[in-house]
Amino acid sequence: MLMEAPGSTDQRATCSCPHCGAEYCSERCRDAAAEQHAVLCVMAMGADRDAHPVSRIEALWRRSHLPPESASIGLVLRLLASVKVQLDHGPKEAAAEHLGFLRGESSGCEMQLKLFVHCHQELEAIWKILNQELFAGGPMESWLTWEQFVWVVSAMCTNAIAVGTSSLDQHEARIRETADPHALEKLGKLRKKMSRCVGPFQGCEGAAIFSVHSAVNHSCEPNCVVKYMPNSSTLEICLLYTSPSPRDS
């Protein structure tokens, strides 16, 4: 999910795409993303879901990425779909401005590719599907060069952050409040089974990109941390101590 102004998640307000079932936090969020989602909806044209370019791209990405990274290609697709919408309505420069909040070097493509040496073939196959099928015949096809594609993937890796609002963690917290030994034992067995599939990522529901968080500089000795509000997609940036210089934050 690409979130500009996230808010508390009200489960009663959630809704989904009537075609493919993609979930949204509210009807307002779904309506705002309608044009972007139309590019990626795997069932909008009534086609076979597995044969859709998006489904095939996701399958290629899963070959070399374990959870939660197996879903992160969705962020790349949403970023690219949003660029397509910009290009359909404005000049080429508008696309660059649209992605201006992302951190990432615009040059040094070969160096960035070293990050993906284990899945280089999958990346090339994904780029070809994007250009030859999903974005074929429009301004997006000429915009999405190989170098541009690698930059977007690299920028996603630099700016994405895990979404840590796992419903299982919330369920475990309620069980521990009851101190029911039988329920705790069953939960422990469930955790072990899950660990064999997803390893240490049980408390992570996926990944998201936040425009404000993307503006925070990297530091090996950070003066702030990020955390999620309980049962919410709202990300908080919490200051640990006052920085002597704005560049150190």
Side-chain angles (χ1 to χ4, degrees):
M1 49 189 165
L2 178 64
M3 307 187 74
E4 294 297 336
S8 298
T9 303
D10 183 352
Q11 295 298 325
R12 298 167 298 180
T14 57
C15 60
S16 61
C17 169
H19 302 294
C20 68
E23 296 184 344
Y24 294 89
C25 58
S26 66
E27 290 186 2
R28 181 180 65 84
C29 182
R30 183 182 63 185
D31 293 345
E35 195 171 3
Q36 171 187 310
H37 179 66
V39 180
L40 306 174
C41 183
V42 297
M43 298 297 289
M45 296 178 289
D48 177 13
R49 178 187 289 266
D50 293 336
H52 193 280
V54 169
S55 297
R56 286 158 45 218
I57 287 172
E58 291 173 343
L60 281 168
W61 187 262
R62 285 195 297 269
R63 289 183 184 178
S64 54
H65 293 82
L66 297 173
E69 282 82 4
S70 56
S72 58
I73 189 63
L75 288 175
V76 174
L77 294 174
R78 285 167 174 79
L79 287 170
L80 293 176
S82 67
V83 171
K84 181 184 184 304
V85 172
Q86 293 293 318
L87 289 173
D88 288 345
H89 294 290
K92 189 175 181 179
E93 292 74 20
E97 294 176 1
H98 177 65
L99 297 181
F101 70 93
L102 293 174
R103 286 173 292 150
E105 297 294 330
S106 58
S107 59
C109 172
E110 293 303 318
M111 182 175 295
Q112 293 174 31
L113 276 176
K114 292 180 180 179
L115 297 172
F116 310 106
V117 66
H118 66 292
C119 59
H120 193 284
Q121 290 183 336
E122 285 85 352
L123 280 179
E124 283 191 331
I126 288 172
W127 176 63
K128 289 179 180 178
I129 293 174
L130 289 170
N131 262 343
Q132 297 173 7
E133 299 182 49
L134 198 62
F135 300 132
M140 187 65 180
E141 182 181 0
S142 59
W143 183 87
L144 190 60
T145 62
W146 169 246
E147 291 76 16
Q148 196 74 271
F149 173 65
V150 171
W151 178 83
V152 173
V153 175
S154 302
M156 179 276 294
C157 294
T158 303
N159 293 273
I161 186 170
V163 177
T165 56
S166 170
S167 56
L168 180 61
D169 286 347
Q170 297 170 32
H171 184 56
E172 180 178 358
R174 289 193 291 268
I175 289 177
R176 292 194 178 281
E177 288 177 359
T178 65
D180 183 341
H182 180 65
L184 289 172
E185 181 183 358
K186 292 183 67 175
L187 182 63
K189 291 180 179 178
L190 175 62
R191 287 283 195 186
K192 288 182 180 179
K193 289 181 179 179
M194 291 179 62
S195 182
R196 289 195 290 266
C197 298
V198 298
F201 299 110
Q202 296 179 29
C204 179
E205 293 181 310
I209 292 178
F210 298 85
S211 56
V212 174
H213 170 262
S214 296
V216 178
N217 296 328
H218 168 76
S219 173
C220 294
E221 297 181 359
N223 69 332
C224 61
V225 295
V226 295
K227 66 178 183 178
Y228 285 91
M229 296 287 286
N231 193 32
S232 170
S233 61
T234 302
L235 183 73
E236 285 189 329
I237 301 175
C238 304
L239 191 67
L240 295 176
Y241 58 88
T242 303
S243 174
S245 169
R247 294 182 60 84
D248 294 335
S249 59

